[in-house]
Amino acid sequence: MGCRVKKKLIAGNWKMNGSLAANDALVKALVAGMAASTCHVALCVPSVYLAQCQALMAGTAIDLGAQDLSQHEAGAFTGEISGAMLKEFGVRYCIVGHSERRQYHGETDALVAAKTQRALASGITPIVCVGETLAEREAGKTEEVVKRQLAAVIHANGHCISEIVVAYEPVWAIGTGKTATTEQAQQVHAVLRAQLKAATNQADRIHILYGGSMNAANAAQLLAQPDIDGGLVGGASLKAPDFLSIIASAP
Ligand code: PGA
């Protein structure tokens, strides 16, 4: 139990939201409001705003994150952004395999595994998302699905797996206001932890975040679960008071 005293990680996922003016106001409000916080805080912003957010967050306790990266190192891949480019802007975390990318951009388990490798090779911590759809949960396939998604990443990354962050995001809870119960979330987190333990003796170090309608009202209870090491927060990360109260509820 001794090594369980790791700080929580609360990561905001802005998705395709923001503007120069709105980002400026939001980051300044967060910086002003979180002076006493002790957990790790990151914001995963749209790539076009990385330079702006890098400047806004310089010297603050907030780490910069991106929402996706290419699996390729460089070259003729129009529209794509490389890990090395993200690194130049001080990016520390990058979301990989978010369900919206799996769903709308056809990202497969193999591609997610390759992107995870690319992030690690670029010195960026990948936040690897796994999660079942409502149909999969109702068919009793939750464990099978998340284990398959994580297995692909473990297989491709070997012992480097201890360097990743995992986010369990049940697809039916994302942006719906329907949060998984603490029991549902903890149960899946424990399954993921056991899977990571079979792959590395560093599994207790790995942050496993919960995501899916986490908000100011439910965060404390979720974050009190033994295998929930933080949150990946979408909608509520766009409102400074809500995000600050989630941060404040992270022990
Ligand atoms: P939500 O999104 O908090 O708006 O449900 C979470 C996510 O998709 O990362």
Side-chain angles (χ1 to χ4, degrees):
M1 289 304 273
C3 50
R4 301 310 303 276
V5 285
K6 63 177 182 271
K7 283 194 206 175
K8 306 270 182 195
L9 167 62
I10 304 294
N13 173 11
W14 286 2
K15 310 194 180 187
M16 197 172 73
N17 294 292
S19 67
L20 289 170
N23 305 343
D24 186 80
L26 179 53
V27 175
K28 283 178 178 161
L30 293 174
V31 170
M34 61 172 266
S37 161
T38 54
C39 75
H40 298 294
V41 177
L43 293 175
C44 300
V45 310
S47 297
V48 288
Y49 295 130
L50 285 172
Q52 180 202 19
C53 291
Q54 182 185 28
L56 283 168
M57 295 175 199
T60 76
I62 305 179
D63 284 316
L64 188 56
Q67 298 175 9
D68 184 34
L69 83 169
S70 171
Q71 74 272 34
H72 301 290
E73 191 172 353
F77 302 101
T78 301
E80 294 284 79
I81 293 172
S82 74
M85 293 172 187
L86 297 178
K87 191 72 186 167
E88 272 202 301
F89 287 89
V91 166
R92 167 135 187 222
Y93 297 99
C94 185
I95 297 171
V96 174
H98 190 280
S99 64
E100 286 150 18
R101 296 213 58 88
R102 292 180 190 259
Q103 195 178 343
Y104 306 135
H105 301 270
E107 294 202 3
T108 60
D109 292 343
L111 180 61
V112 173
K115 288 187 172 194
T116 302
Q117 273 182 305
R118 183 60 62 194
L120 290 170
S122 309
I124 293 169
T125 301
I127 300 177
V128 179
C129 301
V130 300
E132 81 288 0
T133 62
L134 185 58
E136 288 163 342
R137 175 163 282 270
E138 285 174 347
K141 292 192 167 150
T142 298
E143 281 192 22
E144 178 188 326
V145 169
V146 298
K147 282 166 97 172
R148 188 203 72 223
Q149 291 171 331
L150 185 58
V153 174
I154 291 173
H155 179 72
N157 287 276
H159 63 267
C160 294
I161 202 68
S162 60
E163 304 302 319
I164 75 167
V165 170
V166 177
Y168 169 55
E169 298 206 306
V171 178
W172 48 271
I174 294 177
T176 58
K178 261 178 91 174
T179 319
T181 65
T182 49
E183 294 76 22
Q184 285 172 326
Q186 167 55 29
Q187 196 180 356
V188 176
H189 281 235
V191 165
L192 296 171
R193 180 87 61 202
Q195 191 178 3
L196 291 165
K197 276 195 172 139
T200 170
N201 58 13
Q202 306 276 314
D204 280 327
R205 270 186 46 195
I206 299 175
H207 282 85
I208 307 179
L209 314 182
Y210 170 79
S213 299
M214 186 181 267
N215 58 40
N218 61 31
Q221 226 196 339
L222 286 160
L223 294 168
Q225 300 302 306
D227 288 300
I228 301 186
D229 307 310
L232 183 54
V233 185
S237 73
L238 297 170
K239 296 173 227 133
D242 293 32
F243 197 55
L244 284 169
S245 108
I246 294 173
I247 291 167
S249 64

